[in-house]
Amino acid sequence: MFTTRPTLQGTFGMVSSTHWLASQSAMAVLEDGGNAFDAAVAAGFVLHVVEPHLNGPAGEVPVLLAPAGGEVRVLCGQGPAPAGATIDHYRSLGLGLVPGTGPLAAAVPGAFDAWMLLLRDHGTKPLAQVLRYAIEYAEAGHAPVRRVGETVETVRALFVNEWTSSADLYLPDGQPPAPGRLFRNPALARTWRRLVDEATAAAGDDRTGQIEEARRIWRAGFIAEALLRQSARPTMDTSGGHHTGTLTAADLAGWSATYENPVTHDWNGWTLCKAGGWSQGPVFLQQLALLPARLPPYGSADYVHVLVEGCKLAMADREAWYGDAADVPLDTLLSAAYNAGRRALVGDRASHELRPGSPDGRTPRLSAHAAAVAAGRPGPGAPAVAVAAGAGEPTVAGDVPGTGGPAVGRDGTTRGDTCHVDVVDRWGNMVAATPSGGWLQSNPVVPELGFPLGTRLQMAWLDPGLPNSLTPGRRPRTTLTPTLALRDGVPVMAFGTPGGDQQDQWQLHFFLALTHGGLDLQAAIDAPNWHNESFPGSFHPRGMRPGGLTVESRMDPAVVEELRRRGHDVTVGGPWTEGRLCAVARDPRTGILSAAANPRGMQGYAVGR
């Protein structure tokens, strides 16, 4: 099998992330005596600087962590809907969907507090030492990847005419960030320097005290004050109107990132760990539960067809049953009996229907918008008039390698995106994190801070009584979904990818390439990939392409033709356009560590020794 790079191997430490500067910063922390959790935090803050079109401090991050010799835990960095974010409030504004951008779409920011908890509870380094890399790149500058400037160009008119604080940062002298020119974010550097200074002044050399003071400053200090001022500013969003947000001081002060147990599923000697039904993570597990006892040959048309049709069923169950506003019947959704019945629905032809199941005899209920787009009609929640180009839609056009954002259309158009980082150290600590939200195209830059609010509330519905209805104090169902894999109860692999609704499709394909196809880490990442769109998307305007299947052009043409014969509406994309996977692994028998990273987009890299 062709690979673009070798799978790295060593015994000291391994990092894989979606940007080489984040990977190398994490490795520098390991070299300085830090552990995997210190390294992941440092990488997370560097990603805010070097991939601002993909994530930010006011976004969100779910983390799966496995301390050496300890239990796997989920750290939830997904903030809930503010107290004022009620369905009635949004409906009173004439909205049928939560806007895709602007302060009305902002949940309580979650990423910062989650990174701080990870550092406090599992790291060893002081606050200043893990933030130093992000501060240096923000202050002294870094050479940005081409994608940053391309993203800014798509929203140039919005920035210049409406989001002027964003124009000040990303269009100085009218020019977007570009490769070969240093890009700086002095406001962000000042924010973190002030945070460190204030935390140190209050707590002295007490590492835990510094971190706790940093959390307080975020919730109730100068950072909180600036976030609240921004939320109260009328802002153009994807509805075409100007709205203020619902975030209050009480919302910020009253929320903390939390730990919980993972949802797990055993398959062929593996135990796979995911976040709960407030995320799409169990979709990965249900896809495994839906597989037949004997899989078709790897890469064949039969193989791709079985995976695509199983994914459609799991995603339909996600649409009907997942969300933080209700109890998710995960025990049934992942049970052998339930999935045997669902598996029987997979025939020789591609389904073009949205077919949620009835766990425990319950009747599935869909939002009016989801039911409409599943029937091929425009969703009633979509704006009645088109918004001017760039008016808040987090869109990047063009068939560019390495896109893979939350929605991918026939023309390669993508919206938003995400980051990922995995770390394993010489002691066996392992972590997988998928930071996202708070993109530069999500909300105007908070001028005092150098980063914007997020937009995760766009994933909640404005229909009452659904598991994913917009509900104050409840988390919007997120697409973010890192993975940890165990053998014989021991963590052996951490992996994940950006890609919104595609994340658990691409991760399944990667995992099966390893376990069924016999490929190594890098070959499994490099293998031709695909995704389907036969379910309502999670991102505004939440469309669906029944039967839609996008494949890389490297897929065998005979396989593509057979898939079309079976009724799949196949779009052949570029050769390197599907998936942005990262992975690290550890063999507990030998202590050998491994890592690999996605070549698509030419910015993800693994490092280690």
Side-chain angles (χ1 to χ4, degrees), residues 322-453:
Y322 288 23
D324 198 34
D327 291 330
V328 183
L330 286 177
D331 287 346
T332 301
L333 289 171
L334 299 178
S335 69
Y338 177 79
N339 286 291
R342 298 288 277 155
R343 192 182 307 116
L345 297 175
V346 176
D348 187 57
R349 301 285 297 173
S351 170
H352 288 219
E353 300 177 73
L354 188 68
R355 299 182 290 177
S358 300
D360 305 319
R362 305 183 197 183
T363 300
R365 183 183 170 198
L366 302 175
S367 70
H369 183 92
V373 298
R377 303 189 305 271
V385 294
V387 179
E393 191 78 27
T395 314
V396 179
D399 185 10
V400 179
T403 54
V408 182
R410 291 174 182 267
D411 62 354
T413 298
T414 67
R415 298 182 177 93
D417 209 338
T418 296
C419 305
H420 189 81
V421 58
D422 301 308
V423 189
V424 60
D425 64 28
R426 62 191 186 275
W427 301 290
N429 298 303
M430 190 175 291
V431 59
T434 309
S436 186
W439 311 303
L440 66 86
Q441 64 275 35
S442 65
N443 258 295
V445 167
V446 184
E448 307 95 319
L449 302 179
F451 59 85
L453 287 163

Side-chain angles (χ1 to χ4, degrees), residues 78-106:
Q78 173 58 65
T86 65
I87 289 173
D88 287 345
H89 174 60
Y90 287 66
R91 291 289 188 184
S92 75
L93 299 173
L95 299 172
L97 288 177
V98 176
T101 57
L104 272 180

Side-chain angles (χ1 to χ4, degrees), residues 231-329:
S231 179
R233 292 185 177 111
T235 301
M236 167 73 83
D237 59 37
T238 51
S239 72
H242 292 77
H243 295 107
T244 57
T246 62
L247 194 65
T248 68
D251 295 318
L252 285 172
W255 182 81
S256 170
T258 53
Y259 292 101
E260 57 190 56
N261 291 325
V263 178
T264 64
H265 182 72
D266 294 331
W267 182 83
N268 284 7
W270 292 82
T271 298
L272 287 305
C273 302
K274 286 289 204 175
W278 53 270
S279 76
Q280 76 168 347
V283 163
F284 178 92
L285 306 180
Q286 190 177 358
Q287 288 179 95
L288 288 173
L290 282 162
L291 293 175
R294 185 178 179 85
L295 271 172
Y298 175 76
S300 66
D302 286 341
Y303 175 81
V304 176
H305 176 78
V306 164
L307 266 58
V308 169
E309 295 305 297
C311 177
K312 292 174 185 177
L313 295 172
M315 284 296 202
D317 280 342
R318 182 194 75 163
E319 190 56 48
W321 301 110
Y322 288 23
D324 198 34
D327 291 330
V328 183

